[in-house]
C-alpha cells in the first residue's frame, strides 16, 4: 500500500448557491470561473493535507473541491501518510504556531524525522502531479513537500489555517522549524493578516477567509422532526417522542442518509427536549478549552439556571493526525467525575462516531440547531468554523475574542469574550443570554445574515481564483 491516498470527492451542484447568494453574486462567480478555466486548460489543482476527515480543513476541502469540480476545473484531493512520531512533531509545531506548547524543544532529530517522512510521501506525489499543476499544501504537516514539488515544476502555494494573534518565543520556534521548507513555495495563504510571519514578503501572501457550505450535511436545513430524531438517536436528549422519527439528511453524494449510530454519551441524566442546552463542538484539543467551559458552567452558570451543558467532540479513536485527542478527552472525563452530583447530572460529554463523515456532520448540525447557545471558548483559534456554522443556523454564539473568531462575530451578531480565561465573565454572558430569549433571536438573525454576506463558499473560491491566476501569470 502506498503512502499517499486519494480522497474521492463528490461533484456539488454550484447552481444551488444562487438561491443563497443571489443572482448578482452568482453571476460574478460563474464569470470568474469561466475566465479561470480558459487559462487553465490541461492543468490540475491538487489539495494535499493530512487527514480525510475530522477538523475544519477536511470539512472545507470536501465541499470546495466538489464545487470546483462542478465548475469544470480539474481538482483532486490527496492525504499524506505519517507515523505517530511524525504527527506528534507536527502537533507540536501546530501548537507552537498558536503560541502554545513546547515547540522550543524541537531540534535536529525532529527536523530530520519530519523531512524523511515527507520525502517519502513526495516520491509518490510526483507520480501524480504534472509540471504546471497547482498544488495547495495545507498546514504544517505538508510544508516539507513544497521543495520537491517546485523542483518538479508545480506551482506550489502553502495554505496555513492556523496562527497566533501575536508572536512569542514559541511561535518563533515553530516558524523556524517550518521556514526552511516554506521558502521554496511560490506563495502563502493565511486566514488573517495578523498570522503572517514577518519574513514572508507581502506580495507572495494572500489572505483568504474560510467559509461554510449551506448545503453540506453540517449546515443544511433540518426539519424539527429530524433534529429531534437525531438527538434522540445519538442519545443526547431524552425524547421518547423523537426516537420514532427518521433522522434524515442529504449526503454529499446527493443520497438521503439516516442517522443510525449512537454517540458515546457520558451523563448521569439527559436533558428533555424542552430543556435549555448549551453546546460547544470541538476537537479534543487543549486550545479549545473544553475543560474551561466545563469549569465555567459548573462554577458560574449551573447554580442559577436549569440549563444543561454538552461538550461535543469527535470519537477520540479515529482522528489520526491529532494524538492529543484521547488525553484531552480523558482529562475532561476525570473533571466531569469530580463535579458535584447536582452539576454533573446536567453536564454531558459526547463523542460522535466518525465512521460516516456525513452522518457525523448531521449530528453536529442537529446539536447546533437545537442549542440555546453555542459556545466556542477557545484559547487560540485559527478561524473557528464552528462559529460560522452556528451563526448560519441563527444561533447566538459566545466566542473568545481570539484569532478568526474576532473576524466572524461582528457587533450584534454574537458575544465576544475579551479574556477567554475569565470564567466569571464567561458565566455572566451565558446567564445574560439565557435570560433574554428576544436578544438571542435578534442576535441569531443578525448572525445568519452576517455569515451569508461574508463566509459562504463563493467568496472563498473567488479569492483562490485570483491567487491562482496571479501565480500562473507570474510563471
Ligand atoms: N467537527 C465535527 N465533528 C465533531 C467535532 C468537530 O464535524 O465531532 C467539525 C466542526 O463542526 C467544524 C470542524 O470540525 O466544522 C472544526 O473546525 P474548526 O475551524 O472549528 O476547528 P479546527 O478543528 O480546525 O481547529
Amino acid at each position: 500500500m502506498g503512502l499517499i491516498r486519494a480522497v474521492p470527492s463528490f461533484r456539488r451542484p454550484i447552481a444551488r448557491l444562487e438561491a443563497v447568494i443571489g443572482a448578482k453574486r452568482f453571476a460574478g462567480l460563474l464569470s470568474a470561473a469561466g475566465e479561470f478555466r480558459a487559462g487553465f486548460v490541461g492543468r490540475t489543482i491538487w489539495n494535499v493535507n493530512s487527514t480525510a476527515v475530522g477538523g475544519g480543513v477536511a470539512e472545507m476541502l470536501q465541499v470546495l473541491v466538489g464545487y470546483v469540480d462542478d465548475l469544470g476545473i480539474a481538482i483532486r484531493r490527496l492525504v499524506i501518510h505519517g507515523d505517530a512520531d511524525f504527527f506528534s512533531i507536527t502537533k507540536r509545531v501546530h501548537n507552537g504556531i498558536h503560541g502554545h506548547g513546547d515547540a522550543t524543544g524541537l531540534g535536529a532529530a525532529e527536523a530530520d524525522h519530519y523531512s524523511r517522512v515527507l520525502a517519502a510521501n513526495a516520491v509518490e506525489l510526483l507520480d501524480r502531479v504534472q509540471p504546471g499543476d497547482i498544488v495547495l499544501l495545507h498546514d504544517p504537516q505538508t510544508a516539507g513537500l513544497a521543495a520537491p514539488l517546485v523542483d518538479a515544476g508545480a506551482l506550489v502555494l502553502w495554505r496555513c489555517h492556523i496562527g497566533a494573534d501575536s508572536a512569542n518565543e514559541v511561535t518563533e520556534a515553530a516558524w523556524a522549524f517550518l521556514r526552511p521548507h516554506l521558502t521554496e513555495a511560490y506563495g502563502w495563504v493565511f486566514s488573517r493578516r495578523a498570522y503572517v510571519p514577518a519574513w514572508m514578503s507581502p506580495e507572495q501572501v494572500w489572505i483568504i477567509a474560510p467559509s461554510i457550505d449551506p448545503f453540506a450535511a453540517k449546515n443544511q436545513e433540518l426539519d424539527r422532526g429530524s433534529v429531534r430524531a437525531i438527538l434522540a438517536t445519538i442519545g443526547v436528549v431524552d425524547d421518547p417522542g423523537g426516537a420514532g422519527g427518521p433522522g434524515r439528511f442529504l449526503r454529499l453524494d446527493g443520497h438521503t442518509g439516516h442517522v443510525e449510530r449512537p454517540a458515546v454519551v457520558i451523563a448521569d441524566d439527559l436533558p428533555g427536549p424542552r430543556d435549555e442546552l448549551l453546546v460547544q463542538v470541538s476537537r479534543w484539543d487543549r486550545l479549545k478549552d473544553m475543560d474551561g467551559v466545563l469549569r465555567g458552567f459548573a462554577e458560574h452558570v449551573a447554580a442559577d439556571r436549569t440549563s444543561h451543558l454538552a461538550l461535543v467532540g469527535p470519537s477520540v479513536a479515529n482522528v489520526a493526525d491529532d494524538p492529543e485527542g484521547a488525553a484531552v478527552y480523558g482529562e475532561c472525563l476525570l473533571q466531569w467525575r469530580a463535579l458535584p452530583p447536582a452539576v454533573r447530572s446536567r453536564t454531558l460529554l459526547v463523542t460522535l462516531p466518525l465512521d460516516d463523515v456525513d452522518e457525523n456532520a448531521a449530528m453536529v448540525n442537529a446539536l447546533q440547531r437545537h442549542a440555546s447557545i453555542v459556545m466556542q471558548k477557545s484559547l487560540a483559534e485559527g478561524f473557528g468554523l464552528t462559529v460560522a456554522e452556528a451563526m448560519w443556523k441563527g444561533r447566538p454564539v459566545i466566542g473568545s475574542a481570539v484569532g478568526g473568531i474576532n473576524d466572524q462575530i461582528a457587533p450584534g451578531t454574537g458575544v465576544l469574550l475579551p479574556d477567554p480565561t475569565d470564567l466569571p465573565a464567561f458565566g455572566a454572558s451565558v446567564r445574560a443570554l439565557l435570560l433574554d430569549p428576544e436578544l438571542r433571536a435578534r442576535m441569531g438573525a443578525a448572525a445568519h445574515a452576517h455569515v451569508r454576506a461574508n463566509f459562504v463558499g463563493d467568496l472563498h473560491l473567488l479569492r483562490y481564483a485570483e491567487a491562482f491566476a496571479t501565480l500562473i501569470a507570474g510563471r
Side-chain angles (χ1 to χ4, degrees):
M1 202 181 79
L3 296 174
I4 292 274
R5 229 164 11 103
V7 183
S9 66
F10 296 100
R11 187 172 281 219
R12 299 181 72 64
I14 194 86
R16 281 201 304 213
L17 276 182
E18 185 171 3
V20 174
I21 62 177
K24 191 160 162 243
R25 238 166 95 176
F26 186 65
L29 175 67
L30 290 191
S31 129
E35 217 169 283
F36 181 79
R37 213 167 33 231
F40 200 64
V41 178
R43 306 182 198 228
T44 301
I45 301 170
W46 299 90
N47 279 278
V48 186
N49 79 314
S50 63
T51 178
V53 294
V57 178
E59 175 80 23
M60 262 185 306
L61 282 179
Q62 65 182 8
V63 165
L64 294 178
V65 167
Y67 280 139
V68 172
D69 192 18
D70 195 47
L71 286 164
I73 296 163
I75 184 162
R76 304 267 178 282
R77 260 185 87 186
L78 298 172
V79 167
I80 58 159
H81 176 80
D83 57 13
D85 285 344
F86 174 80
F87 285 122
S88 120
I89 293 165
T90 58
K91 184 75 191 185
R92 287 167 71 186
V93 176
H94 171 105
N95 287 343
I97 288 179
H98 277 306
H100 293 259
D102 63 349
T104 46
L106 290 164
E110 287 82 6
D112 182 55
H113 189 71
Y114 176 84
S115 298
R116 273 193 292 117
V117 168
L118 289 176
N121 279 276
V123 171
E124 288 182 20
L125 207 54
L126 294 179
D127 284 343
R128 305 183 190 225
V129 175
Q130 301 299 311
D133 284 356
I134 287 178
V135 183
L136 206 46
L137 298 173
H138 295 265
D139 281 337
Q141 298 94 332
T142 63
L145 296 167
L149 285 163
V150 168
D151 288 347
L155 305 177
V156 179
L157 281 181
W158 183 68
R159 204 306 179 208
C160 184
H161 295 269
I162 54 181
D165 297 332
S166 55
N168 63 27
E169 193 194 8
V170 183
T171 60
E172 297 293 336
W175 283 116
F177 185 91
L178 290 179
R179 184 171 174 173
H181 300 286
L182 291 176
T183 44
E184 294 297 317
Y186 289 162
W188 310 284
V189 182
F190 286 83
S191 300
R192 315 189 75 207
R193 181 78 53 192
Y195 294 170
V196 182
W199 51 267
M200 288 184 173
S201 54
E203 63 276 14
Q204 285 172 273
V205 171
W206 283 272
I207 304 301
I208 304 185
S211 61
I212 60 138
D213 180 47
F215 302 101
K218 177 72 52 72
N219 301 310
Q220 65 192 220
E221 241 359 283
L222 290 176
D223 59 67
R224 187 66 212 138
S226 285
V227 171
R228 278 185 70 178
I230 292 171
L231 296 174
T233 303
I234 65 177
V236 167
V237 174
D238 180 14
D239 184 9
R248 271 201 223 110
F249 62 94
L250 201 60
R251 290 187 172 283
L252 210 55
D253 66 6
H255 292 104
T256 299
H258 295 93
V259 171
E260 282 160 352
R261 291 183 175 82
V264 175
V265 179
I266 306 293
D268 287 343
D269 224 342
L270 295 181
R274 289 184 196 288
D275 287 325
E276 286 165 345
L277 185 64
L278 315 174
V279 173
Q280 173 159 308
V281 178
S282 290
R283 287 179 299 104
W284 302 98
D285 179 316
R286 287 206 173 78
L287 298 179
K288 305 292 183 181
D289 201 26
M290 291 287 223
D291 64 324
V293 176
L294 192 53
R295 227 164 340 111
F297 176 79
E299 291 169 12
H300 303 286
V301 180
D304 281 31
R305 305 286 310 181
T306 56
S307 47
H308 294 244
L309 168 72
L311 297 178
V312 181
S315 157
V316 287
N318 326 47
V319 185
D321 69 339
D322 195 359
E324 258 173 32
V328 173
Y329 174 71
E331 287 159 21
C332 286
L333 195 55
L334 287 177
Q335 197 185 333
W336 178 86
R337 285 215 184 99
L339 288 173
V343 180
R344 199 173 58 214
S345 68
R346 289 199 278 123
T347 311
L348 295 77
L349 298 188
V350 182
T351 52
L352 303 176
L354 272 171
D355 316 64
D356 175 335
V357 193
D358 286 345
E359 186 190 37
N360 174 282
M363 293 173 183
V364 172
N365 189 343
L367 280 158
Q368 289 171 332
R369 282 184 191 281
H370 179 72
S372 304
I373 299 173
V374 171
M375 294 165 308
Q376 194 58 57
K377 207 182 82 56
S378 308
L379 303 176
E381 192 63 75
F383 182 70
L385 270 178
T386 50
V387 172
E389 288 164 5
M391 290 172 76
W392 175 254
K393 295 167 184 104
R395 297 295 87 203
V397 177
I398 297 179
S400 310
V402 297
I405 299 180
N406 285 304
D407 298 337
Q408 298 179 71
I409 301 185
T413 68
V415 178
L416 276 177
L417 298 171
D419 174 5
T421 62
D422 183 346
L423 296 184
F426 165 67
S429 47
V430 172
R431 294 195 311 272
L433 268 187
L434 285 173
L435 278 173
D436 194 342
E438 228 170 78
L439 174 62
R440 292 208 300 272
R442 238 187 359 258
M443 207 173 250
H448 177 79
H450 187 64
V451 171
R452 186 210 309 270
N454 295 288
F455 301 111
V456 174
D458 62 315
L459 304 169
H460 199 161
L461 293 177
L462 283 171
R463 294 288 289 128
Y464 268 125
E466 283 167 28
F468 292 167
T470 311
L471 206 61
I472 292 169
R475 301 290 147 186

